[in-house]
Amino acid sequence: METAPPGLSASWDHHYCKPLAEENRSDSTEETGQPPALPLVEFTTEGIIECIHEFLEQFYGKYGGFTPLSETDVLDHLNKTFQSDLNDRMKLITKEVAKYRAGLACAPMHFFQVIYNKHTLTLDDLSTLDDQNWVNDQVINMYGELIMEATNHKVHFFNSFFYRQFVAKGYEGVRRWTKKVDLFSKTLILIPLHLEIHWSLITLDVSKQSINFYDSQGILFKFAVDNILKYILAEAKEKKQAVFQKGWRMVVNRTIPQQKNDNDCGVFVLEYCKCLAFMKPLLFTQEDMPRVRKRIYRELCDCRMSDCLNQDKAT
């Protein structure tokens, strides 16, 4: 994750944007050779407010904004810090979070970036996960990269430009995409489709030789399945995999979670991808989408998948 380039440090003069206390204490560690003592936070209203501000400051620096923040995040932090149940302080928490957000309006982190392998996400990219915005290609593709890493590349994810390139230029246009990849050694192949203004997903179960179609609005784009069949047959021929040059079948998955609006198709596709990659049931619903969006935002900024699926329901 990149830090502020030269010339932008002035925005941190605002009292809400001062460097973390831990950073200020780093010099004393070097001088004495001993780690500094942890500060004691008094269990008073002032101490709670100070703790809230410190947490929000760290959160803001890590995620470039408060899109993935929920009030329970602050509450959980306070409960751990004070080793007490502060549910009765939710009014105070809500008030201080609102005040802190207003204070940071003078110092937006326009320079904030997340860089992972060949992917770069800006705040504009990440903001597509906010509210009911349409998720863009950059978010889809980096998330796919995280899935591949988390599965030790047993799952292969074709980025969102693959299908368009294949349709436009045929097999020769994408032949080099698998120059260093043996698709037929994978357990699962994920292919997101961006057809005009809608996201769908095609997966290839290699061992079962099935082409599976997932759509959060119950639409079937059979022509897309036919195109992917043409691709995998051409790939099998190119890689001299005779067993995979026939026997593929289409499976349409209709009893899967469906969206109830016109904005969450991309988020549904990402959640399909994650569940299928880790062989988990598709148990999420439209009501989970706000929490799923926040979780995906965090996973992208952390550059790793969260440890457990369906943690949104648990929360």
Side-chain angles (χ1 to χ4, degrees):
M1 187 179 296
E2 290 193 349
T3 56
L8 287 176
S9 59
S11 63
W12 294 98
D13 289 342
H14 190 279
H15 73 93
Y16 280 115
C17 308
K18 291 178 182 177
L20 301 180
E22 285 79 1
E23 295 175 0
N24 293 336
R25 292 195 298 270
S26 61
D27 292 340
S28 63
T29 302
E30 295 175 1
E31 291 174 3
T32 64
Q34 297 294 326
L38 293 174
L40 296 176
V41 182
E42 293 185 11
F43 192 13
T44 61
T45 299
E46 292 73 18
I48 292 172
I49 291 174
E50 179 184 349
C51 191
I52 292 172
H53 289 184
E54 287 179 354
F55 175 79
L56 292 174
E57 187 174 354
Q58 293 179 35
F59 193 98
Y60 187 75
K62 185 175 184 179
Y63 297 110
F66 294 118
T67 295
L69 178 72
S70 65
E71 289 183 350
T72 54
D73 294 327
V74 182
L75 177 62
D76 290 344
H77 176 72
L78 292 175
N79 288 344
K80 290 176 183 177
T81 300
F82 295 103
Q83 297 184 347
S84 182
D85 185 352
L86 275 74
N87 272 288
D88 61 339
R89 301 298 185 101
M90 282 306 297
K91 276 191 176 181
L92 174 65
I93 294 172
T94 302
K95 176 183 175 182
E96 289 303 318
V97 170
K99 187 190 301 183
Y100 201 90
R101 285 176 183 262
L104 283 175
C106 67
M109 295 179 70
H110 295 307
F111 54 83
F112 183 87
Q113 289 184 331
V114 177
I115 298 176
Y116 181 74
N117 292 347
K118 296 180 180 179
H119 301 275
T120 299
L121 296 181
T122 66
L123 270 185
D124 285 341
D125 297 321
L126 289 166
S127 70
T128 66
L129 286 163
D130 190 18
D131 196 21
Q132 295 189 40
N133 292 334
W134 292 356
V135 177
N136 70 8
D137 290 271
Q138 286 71 26
V139 166
I140 294 282
N141 294 332
M142 181 170 158
Y143 201 72
E145 185 87 14
L146 295 181
I147 288 175
M148 288 195 292
E149 293 287 346
T151 60
N152 294 317
H153 291 271
K154 293 178 181 178
V155 172
H156 185 73
F157 182 93
F158 276 114
N159 80 38
S160 62
F161 304 109
F162 167 79
Y163 181 77
R164 302 174 208 175
Q165 183 80 350
F166 176 72
V167 171
K169 299 186 177 181
Y171 181 73
E172 282 303 310
V174 296
R175 182 170 61 87
R176 293 178 60 83
W177 285 52
T178 54
K179 183 178 180 181
K180 299 180 180 180
V181 177
D182 178 10
L183 289 183
F184 304 102
S185 69
K186 308 297 181 182
T187 59
L188 184 68
I189 300 168
L190 303 170
I191 307 173
L193 308 178
H194 195 198
L195 304 174
E196 296 187 9
I197 60 172
H198 184 62
W199 288 100
S200 296
L201 176 69
I202 289 181
T203 72
L204 299 177
D205 186 321
V206 179
S207 64
K208 295 179 180 178
Q209 287 189 248
S210 63
I211 304 175
N212 303 269
F213 192 84
Y214 297 85
D215 187 272
S216 57
Q217 290 186 334
I219 305 170
L220 171 59
F221 297 105
K222 189 175 183 302
F223 66 88
V225 177
D226 292 339
N227 284 331
I228 294 303
L229 175 60
K230 291 176 184 176
Y231 167 76
I232 200 64
L233 293 177
E235 178 75 359
K237 183 178 180 180
E238 172 74 13
K239 298 296 176 65
K240 297 180 173 55
Q241 294 279 353
V243 70
F244 293 106
Q245 291 179 37
K246 59 182 179 179
W248 291 89
R249 63 190 181 88
M250 179 180 75
V251 177
V252 179
N253 298 275
R254 296 192 184 279
T255 57
I256 58 174
Q258 298 285 284
Q259 67 186 99
K260 297 179 181 178
N261 60 24
D262 295 323
N263 309 304
D264 285 324
C265 55
V267 185
F268 270 80
V269 163
L270 292 182
E271 198 69 347
Y272 292 153
C273 286
K274 184 173 184 179
C275 291
L276 294 169
F278 292 98
M279 295 181 287
K280 300 296 182 180
L282 306 179
L283 299 178
F284 57 93
T285 67
Q286 176 67 60
E287 287 66 35
D288 294 314
M289 286 301 104
R291 292 185 293 275
V292 171
R293 283 175 175 267
K294 290 177 183 291
R295 194 205 70 224
I296 291 172
Y297 190 116
R298 291 195 188 199
E299 288 173 322
L300 290 169
C301 289
D302 294 340
C303 296
R304 63 178 179 84
M305 308 299 289
S306 57
D307 294 332
C308 62
L309 284 150
N310 300 320
Q311 67 176 22
D312 309 290
K313 281 187 176 295
T315 302

